[in-house]
């Protein structure tokens, strides 16, 4: 083997070591970046899972609030319908000798009250019937304002 050949082999070996060192450095850098990216993505996954858990809790809270609101709305609708039914029934203005005596939630309530004051429970005649001079007890039907709306 000649000195020239040995020198070239040594140079090639040195170049190969340099190439290997450079490849190792590049591989290390790529590995470091890959590990950093994986760690970043794992952090994103953890954050997304945490956010999803929080959102599930909020959804459950909103669903419960919606159920409660729906139940409250149904109760309010029922209350409104009850109020409309009551408002549709005429109130009774109880008159004594033609003068206002008291106002009652219904005509029947006015009759019942008048009976406690001595009015004849069977002596009522339909509203608007002519009976001569106003004496004794009578009832005027009063429609509540806004009834039937």
């Amino acid at each position: 083997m000649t000195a020239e050949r040995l020198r070239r082999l040594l140079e090639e070996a040195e170049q190969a070591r340099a190439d290997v060192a450079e490849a190792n450095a590049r591989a290390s850098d790529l590995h470091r970046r890959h590990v950093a990216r994986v760690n970043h993505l794992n952090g994103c996954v953890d954050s997304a899972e945490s956010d999803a858990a929080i959102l599930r809790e909020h959804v459950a809270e909103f669903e419960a609030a919606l159920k409660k609101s729906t139940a409250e709305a149904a109760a309010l609708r029922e209350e409104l319908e009850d109020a409309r039914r009551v408002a549709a029934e005429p109130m009774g203005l109880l008159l004594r000798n033609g003068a206002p005596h008291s106002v009652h939630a219904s005509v029947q309530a006015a009759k019942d009250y008048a009976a406690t004051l001595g009015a004849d429970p069977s002596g009522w005649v339909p509203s608007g019937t002519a009976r001569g001079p106003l004496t004794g007890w009578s009832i005027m039907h009063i429609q509540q304002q806004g009834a039937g709306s």
Side-chain angles (χ1 to χ4, degrees):
M1 180 178 283
T2 65
E4 181 61 28
R5 171 110 172 109
L6 184 58
R7 186 185 58 73
R8 271 189 310 192
L9 285 174
L10 288 173
E11 284 177 2
E12 288 174 5
E14 188 62 36
Q15 183 61 46
R17 277 191 215 96
D19 290 346
V20 167
E22 184 182 333
N24 278 337
R26 283 195 348 246
S28 260
D29 183 50
L30 287 172
H31 182 261
R32 235 183 345 270
R33 289 193 320 205
H34 173 73
V35 168
R37 182 75 175 143
V38 167
N39 287 338
H40 172 73
L41 291 174
N42 282 335
C44 290
V45 167
D46 290 343
S47 178
E49 287 173 347
S50 175
D51 291 348
I54 291 168
L55 289 174
R56 281 190 292 275
E57 288 176 16
H58 287 309
V59 166
E61 290 170 4
F62 290 142
E63 286 174 342
L66 179 61
K67 283 181 182 178
K68 182 179 178 185
S69 294
T70 301
E72 288 173 353
L76 288 172
R77 274 193 294 279
E78 188 174 315
E79 190 177 318
L80 176 61
E81 287 305 313
D82 289 346
R84 283 182 175 159
R85 278 190 293 279
V86 167
E89 183 178 336
M91 295 173 60
L93 172 60
L94 188 59
L95 303 166
R96 177 121 196 218
N97 298 325
H101 182 272
S102 55
V103 177
H104 300 269
S106 68
V107 171
Q108 187 58 51
K111 289 179 181 179
D112 293 344
Y113 179 71
T116 67
L117 299 175
D120 180 3
S122 62
W124 302 103
V125 294
S127 174
T129 304
R131 296 187 70 192
L134 291 175
T135 59
W137 295 100
S138 61
I139 297 176
M140 181 182 294
H141 295 221
I142 303 171
Q143 191 63 43
Q144 296 181 35
Q145 190 172 26
S149 300

